[in-house]
Amino acid sequence: MSAAILAGLTGAALVGLGLYGLLTDPHPLRKILAFNILGSGVFLLFGIIARKGAAAGFAADPVPQAMVITGIVVAFSATALAVTLLLRLFQETRRATLEPDAPAKTPDAGVDG
Amino acid sequence: MLAMALALATTGGGYLLVLAVIVPVIGMLLSLVVGGRHAERIAFALMPAGLGLALAIAIEVWVTGQPLVYILGGWPPPLGIALRADGFSAVMLVTAALVIAAAGYFARGGFATPPGVAEKRAPLAFWTLLQGLWAALAVVFLGGDLFNLYVALELLTFAAVPLVCLDGRPETLAAALRYLLFALFGSVLYLLGAALLYGTYGTLDIVLLADRTAAEPLVAPAVGFAAGLMTAGLLAKTALFPLHLWLPPAHANAPPPASAVLSALVVKASFFLIVRLWFDVMPGLASAAVTTLLAALGAAAILFGSVLALRQARLKLLIAYSTVAQIGYLFLMFPLAIGGHPWSAEAWSGGVMQTLSHAFAKAAMFLAAGVVYEQLGHDRIAELRGIGRAMPMAIFAFGLGGLSLMGLPPSGGFAAKWLLMQASVESGQWAWAVVMLVGGLLAGGYVYRVVAPALDRATVALKAPASRRREAVALALALGAVLLGFAPPEFFDLLQIGRPVAMAALR
């Protein structure tokens, strides 16, 4: 088994794990973690594609590598934003779940208009 | 081949595209530096400039009859990134500039900091996020590279999510978090699809990809898989049924100007990319099964969203569910506008028209609901009797917006639905026309639920004095939706510029 195939299988496994967690786990923090696992799988995939040098016959295609770096920055910001929202939600309500479905039910009781 | 060469070199007027992106970015950065006290002034100084640029781009596209192109840094794709504006991009840019300017004018004073009072976070956040959102929208409409578009979509999400929870109430935080999780799910699927496409074709530039997919459509199973992943991800961001769960709480709980921008523009950005993907990048892959599936989901969204809108107790939730329904109409264009049939151009115009008219109508309705909420201190539909006298312009704006949603003339919504219905009849796909008619009736029902009691004779206790300026903003947007119904034929010619099939016929 070549290194590229091993990396590819690892990437696919990470994507699968992340997707499963993102879809099935109700807890927001675990969803955020699952998103990061899924993202890592995608970045690994980009790495393999860079190795393939699909674009111009380079030994290693630089474009996917640039994309991974950008992608990591974006995923990091997304995680930071999500964790901040979750922390704030916890501070306000003392719970870190999205259940029960509160948003629609309590529209205007004691809210500043 | 000529079109290929044109798409890979900077055209005259290409610098306008760069300016359209940079102006809001400058505003955002300046606002961060000078703080919330002056952020509003900066936003108002730059909004006319942004609108002027958008109009200049639209005029340039219309005059030259060709998409505008700018190659960033002089590095042509596949290594570099191109910005491109076709007819659809141009009208979306103008719509975004108008709706954002209206939302900003509506918000004026709402986030002001009086002299001598310590500055709070909300004004700075609102004005910087609004301009960040505008910049992200510009990149989405102009981006010519699928990865660049991924970054633009993420920027859009990062600007839109905090707008939902500006006031920091727990339910808005929960709504924002739910929105963010859906959006992240969508964008990571999109990125995975983009990776697979790059692996297969070695480029993510839309024009180059279109060329390569046309040459070898299904070179690997990965391509179909990539298209599926990207579409699913974008559908989650567009909130097409059954991925709409995040939308109503997020759009209904945001401050009114934010709701207007989110419902009018932000969901359209991901829809715009779905159109790019299926019409520009891989039209060869858009089989009847794919387009019918998209339209069937759209039809389900129309029926489901409208029925739920009829059952809502709160005005803003009613409007949010109506957005779920109106998004459904957008997807009816897929089976009708794909390919080079005689009715395709009509369906394309109808789909674009629906995007534009819904943007104006929905922004007007959310702003009108904001006026109602501000003055009554609540938006319970059961207690809206008689408000028509207290805030006539707001209710008129709501009614005019509703007219467009129902698809009654004269309005942009009528033009959109008429074109789509004609196309569905001409193509023999009757089912979509029936769904549109039923959707129009249901829309009539939920608009009537609000307007009829509002026009009753009854006295209402107002919590705050009426703000005529805010009512007038809502009314101006609603009139925009109506005016679209009077669009001249040249406007429809503009929409066709850059449409791949239309361009192929020209060659």
Side-chain angles (χ1 to χ4, degrees), chain A residues 22 31 38 45-46 49 52 54-55 61 63-64 67 70 74 78 82 85-86 88-89 92-93 98 101 103 106-108 111 113, chain B residues 79 147 150 154 158 161 165 169-171 173-174 177-178 180-181 184-185 188 191-192 195 198-199 202 204 249 314 373 378 380:
Chain A
L22 201 53
K31 272 189 196 291
L38 177 49
L45 190 70
F46 265 116
I49 287 165
K52 259 180 75 185
D61 185 352
V63 175
M67 288 177 186
T70 316
V74 170
L85 276 177
L86 186 60
R88 187 68 196 275
L89 185 69
E92 295 281 327
T93 62
L98 289 175
D101 195 11
T106 52
D108 43 17
V111 185
Chain B
L79 261 188
F147 185 81
Y150 158 77
E154 289 294 59
F158 297 162
V161 167
C165 59
R169 282 181 290 138
E171 59 266 29
L173 289 169
L177 186 57
R178 190 185 301 259
L180 181 61
L181 289 174
L184 292 183
F185 170 69
V188 81
L191 185 63
L192 184 55
Y198 189 88
L204 286 177
R314 282 182 54 209
Y373 194 101
H378 70 79
R380 291 184 288 276

Short mmCIF file of all heavy atoms in Angstrom, two decimals, chain A residues 22 31 38 45-46 49 52 54-55 61 63-64 67 70 74 78 82 85-86 88-89 92-93 98 101 103 106-108 111 113, chain B residues 79 147 150 154 158 161 165 169-171 173-174 177-178 180-181 184-185 188 191-192 195 198-199 202 204 249 314 373 378 380:
data_model
loop_
_atom_site.label_atom_id
_atom_site.label_comp_id
_atom_site.label_asym_id
_atom_site.label_seq_id
_atom_site.Cartn_x
_atom_site.Cartn_y
_atom_site.Cartn_z
N LEU A 22 -21.32 15.03 12.96
CA LEU A 22 -22.02 16.28 12.68
C LEU A 22 -23.53 16.03 12.52
O LEU A 22 -24.35 16.84 12.93
CB LEU A 22 -21.44 16.90 11.41
CG LEU A 22 -21.65 18.38 11.19
CD1 LEU A 22 -21.19 19.18 12.38
CD2 LEU A 22 -20.88 18.85 9.95
N LYS A 31 -20.57 18.67 17.85
CA LYS A 31 -20.76 18.99 16.44
C LYS A 31 -19.58 19.83 15.94
O LYS A 31 -19.08 19.63 14.83
CB LYS A 31 -22.06 19.78 16.23
CG LYS A 31 -23.29 18.91 16.03
CD LYS A 31 -24.46 19.80 15.62
CE LYS A 31 -25.81 19.13 15.76
NZ LYS A 31 -26.03 18.03 14.82
N LEU A 38 -13.98 16.43 10.23
CA LEU A 38 -14.37 16.40 8.82
C LEU A 38 -13.46 17.31 8.00
O LEU A 38 -12.98 16.93 6.93
CB LEU A 38 -15.84 16.83 8.72
CG LEU A 38 -16.53 16.96 7.37
CD1 LEU A 38 -16.30 15.74 6.52
CD2 LEU A 38 -18.03 17.14 7.58
N LEU A 45 -7.23 15.29 1.95
CA LEU A 45 -7.57 15.01 0.55
C LEU A 45 -6.89 16.02 -0.38
O LEU A 45 -6.33 15.65 -1.41
CB LEU A 45 -9.09 15.08 0.40
CG LEU A 45 -9.66 14.59 -0.93
CD1 LEU A 45 -9.50 13.10 -1.02
CD2 LEU A 45 -11.12 14.96 -1.03
N PHE A 46 -6.93 17.30 0.03
CA PHE A 46 -6.26 18.33 -0.78
C PHE A 46 -4.77 18.02 -0.89
O PHE A 46 -4.15 18.19 -1.94
CB PHE A 46 -6.44 19.71 -0.13
CG PHE A 46 -7.61 20.49 -0.67
CD1 PHE A 46 -8.69 20.81 0.13
CD2 PHE A 46 -7.62 20.90 -2.00
CE1 PHE A 46 -9.77 21.52 -0.37
CE2 PHE A 46 -8.70 21.62 -2.50
CZ PHE A 46 -9.77 21.93 -1.69
N ILE A 49 -4.20 15.42 -3.43
CA ILE A 49 -4.41 15.96 -4.78
C ILE A 49 -3.19 16.78 -5.21
O ILE A 49 -2.76 16.73 -6.36
CB ILE A 49 -5.71 16.78 -4.81
CG1 ILE A 49 -6.89 15.82 -4.75
CG2 ILE A 49 -5.79 17.63 -6.07
CD1 ILE A 49 -8.19 16.48 -4.42
N LYS A 52 -0.64 14.47 -6.37
CA LYS A 52 -0.93 13.96 -7.72
C LYS A 52 -0.45 14.94 -8.79
O LYS A 52 -0.21 14.55 -9.93
CB LYS A 52 -2.45 13.76 -7.89
CG LYS A 52 -2.90 12.33 -7.76
CD LYS A 52 -4.41 12.24 -7.93
CE LYS A 52 -4.84 12.41 -9.39
NZ LYS A 52 -6.30 12.45 -9.53
N ALA A 54 -2.09 17.23 -10.33
CA ALA A 54 -3.03 17.12 -11.43
C ALA A 54 -2.98 18.32 -12.36
O ALA A 54 -3.25 18.22 -13.55
CB ALA A 54 -4.44 16.95 -10.88
N ALA A 55 -2.61 19.48 -11.83
CA ALA A 55 -2.79 20.69 -12.62
C ALA A 55 -1.78 20.79 -13.77
O ALA A 55 -2.17 20.89 -14.92
CB ALA A 55 -2.66 21.90 -11.72
N ASP A 61 1.83 19.95 -6.74
CA ASP A 61 1.05 21.10 -7.20
C ASP A 61 0.90 22.10 -6.05
O ASP A 61 0.39 21.74 -4.99
CB ASP A 61 -0.31 20.58 -7.67
CG ASP A 61 -1.15 21.66 -8.27
OD1 ASP A 61 -0.74 22.83 -8.19
OD2 ASP A 61 -2.21 21.34 -8.82
N VAL A 63 -1.02 24.76 -5.83
CA VAL A 63 -2.34 25.40 -5.65
C VAL A 63 -3.15 24.75 -4.52
O VAL A 63 -3.65 25.46 -3.65
CB VAL A 63 -3.11 25.43 -6.99
CG1 VAL A 63 -4.50 25.98 -6.78
CG2 VAL A 63 -2.35 26.27 -8.00
N PRO A 64 -3.29 23.41 -4.50
CA PRO A 64 -4.05 22.82 -3.38
C PRO A 64 -3.41 23.11 -2.03
O PRO A 64 -4.12 23.25 -1.03
CB PRO A 64 -4.02 21.32 -3.67
CG PRO A 64 -3.71 21.20 -5.10
CD PRO A 64 -2.89 22.38 -5.46
N MET A 67 -4.62 26.28 -0.98
CA MET A 67 -6.02 26.16 -0.59
C MET A 67 -6.14 25.59 0.83
O MET A 67 -6.97 26.03 1.61
CB MET A 67 -6.76 25.26 -1.57
CG MET A 67 -6.99 25.90 -2.91
SD MET A 67 -7.77 24.73 -4.02
CE MET A 67 -7.76 25.65 -5.53
N THR A 70 -5.43 28.32 3.37
CA THR A 70 -6.60 29.19 3.49
C THR A 70 -7.72 28.48 4.22
O THR A 70 -8.37 29.05 5.10
CB THR A 70 -7.08 29.61 2.09
OG1 THR A 70 -5.95 29.96 1.31
CG2 THR A 70 -8.04 30.75 2.16
N VAL A 74 -9.78 29.50 7.63
CA VAL A 74 -11.24 29.66 7.66
C VAL A 74 -11.85 28.75 8.71
O VAL A 74 -12.71 29.16 9.50
CB VAL A 74 -11.82 29.36 6.26
CG1 VAL A 74 -13.33 29.28 6.32
CG2 VAL A 74 -11.39 30.41 5.26
N ALA A 78 -14.02 29.77 11.98
CA ALA A 78 -15.36 29.23 12.16
C ALA A 78 -15.48 28.58 13.53
O ALA A 78 -16.46 28.79 14.26
CB ALA A 78 -15.67 28.21 11.07
N ALA A 82 -17.93 29.67 16.59
CA ALA A 82 -18.91 28.72 17.13
C ALA A 82 -18.70 28.53 18.62
O ALA A 82 -19.66 28.53 19.40
CB ALA A 82 -18.79 27.39 16.39
N LEU A 85 -19.92 31.58 20.54
CA LEU A 85 -21.38 31.59 20.64
C LEU A 85 -21.85 30.60 21.69
O LEU A 85 -22.73 30.90 22.51
CB LEU A 85 -22.00 31.23 19.29
CG LEU A 85 -22.16 32.34 18.26
CD1 LEU A 85 -22.71 31.77 16.97
CD2 LEU A 85 -23.12 33.40 18.80
N LEU A 86 -21.24 29.43 21.70
CA LEU A 86 -21.65 28.39 22.63
C LEU A 86 -21.35 28.82 24.06
O LEU A 86 -22.18 28.65 24.96
CB LEU A 86 -20.91 27.09 22.28
CG LEU A 86 -21.32 25.86 23.07
CD1 LEU A 86 -22.80 25.57 22.84
CD2 LEU A 86 -20.50 24.67 22.66
N ARG A 88 -21.11 31.85 25.21
CA ARG A 88 -22.03 32.92 25.57
C ARG A 88 -23.40 32.35 25.89
O ARG A 88 -24.05 32.75 26.87
CB ARG A 88 -22.11 33.91 24.40
CG ARG A 88 -22.89 35.15 24.68
CD ARG A 88 -22.18 36.02 25.71
NE ARG A 88 -23.10 37.01 26.25
CZ ARG A 88 -23.34 38.18 25.68
NH1 ARG A 88 -22.70 38.51 24.60
NH2 ARG A 88 -24.21 39.01 26.21
N LEU A 89 -23.82 31.37 25.11
CA LEU A 89 -25.10 30.72 25.36
C LEU A 89 -25.09 30.06 26.73
O LEU A 89 -26.06 30.14 27.49
CB LEU A 89 -25.38 29.68 24.26
CG LEU A 89 -26.73 28.99 24.32
CD1 LEU A 89 -27.83 29.98 23.97
CD2 LEU A 89 -26.79 27.82 23.34
N GLU A 92 -25.39 32.64 29.48
CA GLU A 92 -26.71 33.22 29.59
C GLU A 92 -27.72 32.24 30.17
O GLU A 92 -28.63 32.63 30.89
CB GLU A 92 -27.20 33.70 28.22
CG GLU A 92 -26.40 34.83 27.63
CD GLU A 92 -26.75 36.18 28.23
OE1 GLU A 92 -27.92 36.36 28.59
OE2 GLU A 92 -25.84 37.02 28.35
N THR A 93 -27.61 30.97 29.78
CA THR A 93 -28.68 30.02 30.11
C THR A 93 -28.22 28.89 31.02
O THR A 93 -29.04 28.09 31.45
CB THR A 93 -29.26 29.39 28.84
OG1 THR A 93 -28.20 28.66 28.21
CG2 THR A 93 -29.78 30.42 27.87
N LEU A 98 -28.84 22.85 22.34
CA LEU A 98 -29.83 23.60 21.55
C LEU A 98 -31.23 23.07 21.80
O LEU A 98 -32.19 23.58 21.28
CB LEU A 98 -29.48 23.50 20.06
CG LEU A 98 -28.25 24.30 19.66
CD1 LEU A 98 -27.92 24.05 18.21
CD2 LEU A 98 -28.50 25.77 19.90
N ASP A 101 -36.28 23.31 21.87
CA ASP A 101 -36.31 24.30 20.80
C ASP A 101 -36.85 25.62 21.34
O ASP A 101 -38.00 25.96 21.18
CB ASP A 101 -37.18 23.77 19.67
CG ASP A 101 -36.96 24.58 18.41
OD1 ASP A 101 -36.01 25.37 18.41
OD2 ASP A 101 -37.71 24.40 17.45
N PRO A 103 -36.02 28.95 20.60
CA PRO A 103 -36.10 30.23 19.88
C PRO A 103 -37.50 30.66 19.50
O PRO A 103 -37.85 31.82 19.68
CB PRO A 103 -35.27 29.98 18.62
CG PRO A 103 -34.46 28.79 18.90
CD PRO A 103 -35.12 28.02 19.98
N THR A 106 -40.39 31.62 22.97
CA THR A 106 -40.43 32.76 23.89
C THR A 106 -40.04 34.03 23.17
O THR A 106 -38.91 34.47 23.26
CB THR A 106 -39.46 32.52 25.06
OG1 THR A 106 -38.18 32.20 24.51
CG2 THR A 106 -39.93 31.40 25.95
N PRO A 107 -40.97 34.60 22.43
CA PRO A 107 -40.61 35.71 21.57
C PRO A 107 -40.41 37.03 22.29
O PRO A 107 -39.41 37.71 22.10
CB PRO A 107 -41.80 35.80 20.61
CG PRO A 107 -42.95 35.21 21.36
CD PRO A 107 -42.38 34.24 22.35
N ASP A 108 -41.32 37.39 23.17
CA ASP A 108 -41.29 38.79 23.60
C ASP A 108 -41.59 38.99 25.08
O ASP A 108 -42.01 40.05 25.50
CB ASP A 108 -42.27 39.60 22.76
CG ASP A 108 -43.58 38.88 22.58
OD1 ASP A 108 -43.83 37.93 23.35
OD2 ASP A 108 -44.33 39.22 21.68
N VAL A 111 -38.70 41.47 26.88
CA VAL A 111 -37.57 41.76 26.02
C VAL A 111 -37.62 43.24 25.67
O VAL A 111 -38.70 43.80 25.51
CB VAL A 111 -37.66 40.93 24.73
CG1 VAL A 111 -36.43 41.16 23.90
CG2 VAL A 111 -37.83 39.47 25.06
N GLY A 113 -37.86 46.18 23.37
CA GLY A 113 -38.42 46.22 22.01
C GLY A 113 -37.54 47.04 21.16
O GLY A 113 -37.92 47.51 20.14
N LEU B 79 -3.66 29.30 -12.51
CA LEU B 79 -2.87 29.67 -11.33
C LEU B 79 -3.50 30.85 -10.59
O LEU B 79 -3.54 30.87 -9.37
CB LEU B 79 -1.44 30.03 -11.74
CG LEU B 79 -0.40 28.93 -11.56
CD1 LEU B 79 0.98 29.47 -11.81
CD2 LEU B 79 -0.47 28.32 -10.16
N PHE B 147 -12.92 27.89 -5.36
CA PHE B 147 -12.35 27.97 -4.01
C PHE B 147 -12.48 29.37 -3.44
O PHE B 147 -12.80 29.55 -2.26
CB PHE B 147 -10.89 27.52 -3.99
CG PHE B 147 -10.33 27.47 -2.59
CD1 PHE B 147 -10.59 26.38 -1.78
CD2 PHE B 147 -9.60 28.52 -2.07
CE1 PHE B 147 -10.13 26.33 -0.49
CE2 PHE B 147 -9.14 28.48 -0.77
CZ PHE B 147 -9.40 27.39 0.03
N TYR B 150 -15.74 29.68 -2.12
CA TYR B 150 -15.88 29.03 -0.81
C TYR B 150 -15.51 30.02 0.29
O TYR B 150 -16.22 30.17 1.29
CB TYR B 150 -15.00 27.78 -0.74
CG TYR B 150 -14.66 27.33 0.66
CD1 TYR B 150 -15.60 26.65 1.42
CD2 TYR B 150 -13.41 27.60 1.23
CE1 TYR B 150 -15.31 26.25 2.71
CE2 TYR B 150 -13.11 27.20 2.51
CZ TYR B 150 -14.06 26.53 3.25
OH TYR B 150 -13.77 26.15 4.52
N GLU B 154 -17.89 31.66 3.27
CA GLU B 154 -17.57 31.61 4.69
C GLU B 154 -17.57 33.00 5.30
O GLU B 154 -18.09 33.21 6.39
CB GLU B 154 -16.21 30.93 4.90
CG GLU B 154 -16.24 29.45 4.63
CD GLU B 154 -17.10 28.69 5.63
OE1 GLU B 154 -18.30 29.00 5.72
OE2 GLU B 154 -16.62 27.78 6.29
N PHE B 158 -19.76 34.33 8.38
CA PHE B 158 -19.20 34.96 9.58
C PHE B 158 -19.78 36.35 9.81
O PHE B 158 -19.81 36.83 10.93
CB PHE B 158 -17.67 35.06 9.48
CG PHE B 158 -16.99 33.73 9.40
CD1 PHE B 158 -15.69 33.61 8.95
CD2 PHE B 158 -17.66 32.58 9.77
CE1 PHE B 158 -15.07 32.37 8.88
CE2 PHE B 158 -17.05 31.34 9.70
CZ PHE B 158 -15.75 31.24 9.24
N VAL B 161 -23.98 35.49 10.78
CA VAL B 161 -24.34 34.82 12.03
C VAL B 161 -24.36 35.79 13.22
O VAL B 161 -25.34 35.83 13.96
CB VAL B 161 -23.41 33.61 12.28
CG1 VAL B 161 -23.55 33.10 13.71
CG2 VAL B 161 -23.73 32.50 11.30
N CYS B 165 -27.53 37.57 16.43
CA CYS B 165 -27.55 37.60 17.90
C CYS B 165 -26.97 38.91 18.44
O CYS B 165 -26.34 38.93 19.49
CB CYS B 165 -26.80 36.42 18.47
SG CYS B 165 -25.09 36.32 17.96
N ARG B 169 -29.75 38.12 23.40
CA ARG B 169 -30.73 37.32 24.13
C ARG B 169 -30.43 35.85 23.92
O ARG B 169 -29.95 35.47 22.86
CB ARG B 169 -32.15 37.62 23.62
CG ARG B 169 -32.73 38.92 24.14
CD ARG B 169 -34.14 39.12 23.60
NE ARG B 169 -34.14 39.40 22.18
CZ ARG B 169 -35.00 38.88 21.32
NH1 ARG B 169 -35.91 38.02 21.72
NH2 ARG B 169 -34.96 39.20 20.04
N PRO B 170 -30.72 35.00 24.94
CA PRO B 170 -30.39 33.58 24.81
C PRO B 170 -30.99 32.94 23.56
O PRO B 170 -30.33 32.17 22.87
CB PRO B 170 -30.98 32.95 26.07
CG PRO B 170 -31.10 34.06 27.04
CD PRO B 170 -31.26 35.32 26.26
N GLU B 171 -32.26 33.28 23.24
CA GLU B 171 -32.86 32.59 22.09
C GLU B 171 -32.22 33.02 20.78
O GLU B 171 -32.13 32.22 19.85
CB GLU B 171 -34.38 32.79 22.04
CG GLU B 171 -34.87 34.21 21.96
CD GLU B 171 -35.16 34.76 23.34
OE1 GLU B 171 -34.52 34.31 24.31
OE2 GLU B 171 -36.03 35.64 23.44
N LEU B 173 -29.02 33.77 20.58
CA LEU B 173 -27.74 33.06 20.57
C LEU B 173 -27.93 31.63 20.07
O LEU B 173 -27.14 31.13 19.26
CB LEU B 173 -27.14 33.05 21.98
CG LEU B 173 -26.60 34.38 22.48
CD1 LEU B 173 -26.30 34.29 23.96
CD2 LEU B 173 -25.35 34.76 21.71
N ALA B 174 -29.01 30.98 20.57
CA ALA B 174 -29.27 29.62 20.13
C ALA B 174 -29.56 29.59 18.64
O ALA B 174 -29.06 28.71 17.91
CB ALA B 174 -30.44 29.04 20.92
N LEU B 177 -26.31 30.03 16.75
CA LEU B 177 -25.46 28.84 16.79
C LEU B 177 -25.99 27.76 15.86
O LEU B 177 -25.23 27.12 15.11
CB LEU B 177 -25.38 28.31 18.23
CG LEU B 177 -24.42 27.16 18.47
CD1 LEU B 177 -23.02 27.52 18.04
CD2 LEU B 177 -24.42 26.76 19.94
N ARG B 178 -27.30 27.59 15.86
CA ARG B 178 -27.90 26.60 14.96
C ARG B 178 -27.62 26.96 13.50
O ARG B 178 -27.26 26.11 12.69
CB ARG B 178 -29.41 26.55 15.20
CG ARG B 178 -30.13 25.42 14.53
CD ARG B 178 -31.61 25.56 14.73
NE ARG B 178 -31.97 25.56 16.14
CZ ARG B 178 -32.45 24.50 16.77
NH1 ARG B 178 -32.65 23.40 16.11
NH2 ARG B 178 -32.76 24.56 18.04
N LEU B 180 -25.12 28.76 12.40
CA LEU B 180 -23.71 28.57 12.11
C LEU B 180 -23.40 27.09 11.86
O LEU B 180 -22.66 26.75 10.93
CB LEU B 180 -22.86 29.10 13.27
CG LEU B 180 -21.35 28.98 13.09
CD1 LEU B 180 -20.89 29.75 11.87
CD2 LEU B 180 -20.61 29.49 14.32
N LEU B 181 -23.99 26.19 12.67
CA LEU B 181 -23.69 24.77 12.51
C LEU B 181 -24.19 24.28 11.15
O LEU B 181 -23.50 23.53 10.46
CB LEU B 181 -24.32 23.96 13.65
CG LEU B 181 -23.64 24.17 15.01
CD1 LEU B 181 -24.41 23.47 16.11
CD2 LEU B 181 -22.20 23.67 14.97
N LEU B 184 -21.80 25.69 8.51
CA LEU B 184 -20.50 25.03 8.47
C LEU B 184 -20.62 23.66 7.81
O LEU B 184 -19.76 23.24 7.02
CB LEU B 184 -19.93 24.88 9.89
CG LEU B 184 -19.54 26.18 10.57
CD1 LEU B 184 -18.94 25.89 11.92
CD2 LEU B 184 -18.55 26.94 9.71
N PHE B 185 -21.69 22.95 8.14
CA PHE B 185 -21.96 21.67 7.51
C PHE B 185 -22.02 21.86 5.99
O PHE B 185 -21.38 21.13 5.23
CB PHE B 185 -23.29 21.12 8.04
CG PHE B 185 -23.81 19.92 7.32
CD1 PHE B 185 -23.16 18.71 7.42
CD2 PHE B 185 -24.96 20.00 6.55
CE1 PHE B 185 -23.64 17.60 6.75
CE2 PHE B 185 -25.45 18.90 5.89
CZ PHE B 185 -24.79 17.69 5.99
N VAL B 188 -18.44 22.82 4.44
CA VAL B 188 -17.43 21.77 4.40
C VAL B 188 -17.77 20.75 3.31
O VAL B 188 -16.88 20.22 2.63
CB VAL B 188 -17.22 21.14 5.80
CG1 VAL B 188 -18.26 20.13 6.12
CG2 VAL B 188 -15.84 20.55 5.92
N LEU B 191 -16.62 22.35 0.17
CA LEU B 191 -15.16 22.29 0.03
C LEU B 191 -14.72 20.90 -0.41
O LEU B 191 -13.83 20.76 -1.26
CB LEU B 191 -14.51 22.67 1.36
CG LEU B 191 -12.99 22.77 1.33
CD1 LEU B 191 -12.55 23.87 0.38
CD2 LEU B 191 -12.44 23.04 2.72
N LEU B 192 -15.35 19.86 0.15
CA LEU B 192 -15.01 18.48 -0.23
C LEU B 192 -15.27 18.29 -1.72
O LEU B 192 -14.45 17.72 -2.45
CB LEU B 192 -15.85 17.52 0.62
CG LEU B 192 -15.59 16.02 0.45
CD1 LEU B 192 -14.12 15.70 0.66
CD2 LEU B 192 -16.43 15.22 1.43
N ALA B 195 -12.63 19.98 -3.73
CA ALA B 195 -11.38 19.22 -3.74
C ALA B 195 -11.44 18.12 -4.79
O ALA B 195 -10.49 17.92 -5.56
CB ALA B 195 -11.13 18.62 -2.35
N TYR B 198 -11.14 19.60 -8.24
CA TYR B 198 -9.76 19.99 -8.55
C TYR B 198 -8.92 18.77 -8.87
O TYR B 198 -8.11 18.77 -9.80
CB TYR B 198 -9.13 20.78 -7.39
CG TYR B 198 -7.80 21.37 -7.77
CD1 TYR B 198 -7.74 22.62 -8.36
CD2 TYR B 198 -6.63 20.65 -7.61
CE1 TYR B 198 -6.54 23.15 -8.78
CE2 TYR B 198 -5.41 21.17 -8.02
CZ TYR B 198 -5.38 22.43 -8.60
OH TYR B 198 -4.19 22.94 -9.03
N GLY B 199 -9.13 17.70 -8.09
CA GLY B 199 -8.38 16.48 -8.33
C GLY B 199 -8.62 15.91 -9.71
O GLY B 199 -7.74 15.29 -10.31
N GLY B 202 -8.03 19.65 -12.34
CA GLY B 202 -6.84 20.46 -12.15
C GLY B 202 -7.07 21.96 -12.22
O GLY B 202 -6.13 22.73 -12.39
N LEU B 204 -10.09 25.17 -10.69
CA LEU B 204 -11.39 25.49 -10.11
C LEU B 204 -11.95 26.76 -10.74
O LEU B 204 -12.96 27.28 -10.29
CB LEU B 204 -11.29 25.64 -8.59
CG LEU B 204 -11.12 24.31 -7.84
CD1 LEU B 204 -10.96 24.55 -6.35
CD2 LEU B 204 -12.32 23.40 -8.07
N PRO B 249 -36.05 30.57 12.99
CA PRO B 249 -35.63 31.23 14.23
C PRO B 249 -34.55 32.30 13.99
O PRO B 249 -34.59 33.36 14.62
CB PRO B 249 -35.10 30.09 15.10
CG PRO B 249 -34.95 28.92 14.23
CD PRO B 249 -35.87 29.10 13.07
N ARG B 314 -46.67 34.74 15.23
CA ARG B 314 -45.90 35.97 15.24
C ARG B 314 -45.61 36.45 13.82
O ARG B 314 -45.32 35.64 12.93
CB ARG B 314 -44.57 35.76 15.97
CG ARG B 314 -44.70 35.76 17.48
CD ARG B 314 -43.32 35.59 18.07
NE ARG B 314 -42.41 36.59 17.55
CZ ARG B 314 -41.09 36.39 17.42
NH1 ARG B 314 -40.56 35.24 17.74
NH2 ARG B 314 -40.33 37.34 16.94
N TYR B 373 -43.19 46.11 15.28
CA TYR B 373 -42.65 45.64 16.55
C TYR B 373 -42.21 46.82 17.42
O TYR B 373 -42.46 46.86 18.62
CB TYR B 373 -41.45 44.72 16.28
CG TYR B 373 -41.02 43.92 17.49
CD1 TYR B 373 -41.39 42.58 17.62
CD2 TYR B 373 -40.24 44.49 18.49
CE1 TYR B 373 -41.01 41.84 18.72
CE2 TYR B 373 -39.86 43.76 19.60
CZ TYR B 373 -40.24 42.44 19.70
OH TYR B 373 -39.86 41.72 20.80
N HIS B 378 -44.61 44.31 20.41
CA HIS B 378 -44.79 42.87 20.15
C HIS B 378 -45.14 42.73 18.68
O HIS B 378 -45.37 43.73 17.99
CB HIS B 378 -45.91 42.29 21.02
CG HIS B 378 -47.28 42.76 20.62
ND1 HIS B 378 -47.96 42.23 19.55
CD2 HIS B 378 -48.08 43.75 21.12
CE1 HIS B 378 -49.12 42.85 19.42
NE2 HIS B 378 -49.22 43.79 20.35
N ARG B 380 -47.45 40.00 17.77
CA ARG B 380 -48.45 38.92 17.76
C ARG B 380 -49.54 39.26 16.76
O ARG B 380 -50.18 40.32 16.86
CB ARG B 380 -49.04 38.74 19.16
CG ARG B 380 -48.03 38.16 20.15
CD ARG B 380 -48.68 37.90 21.50
NE ARG B 380 -48.98 39.13 22.22
CZ ARG B 380 -48.09 39.80 22.97
NH1 ARG B 380 -46.87 39.34 23.11
NH2 ARG B 380 -48.44 40.90 23.60
#
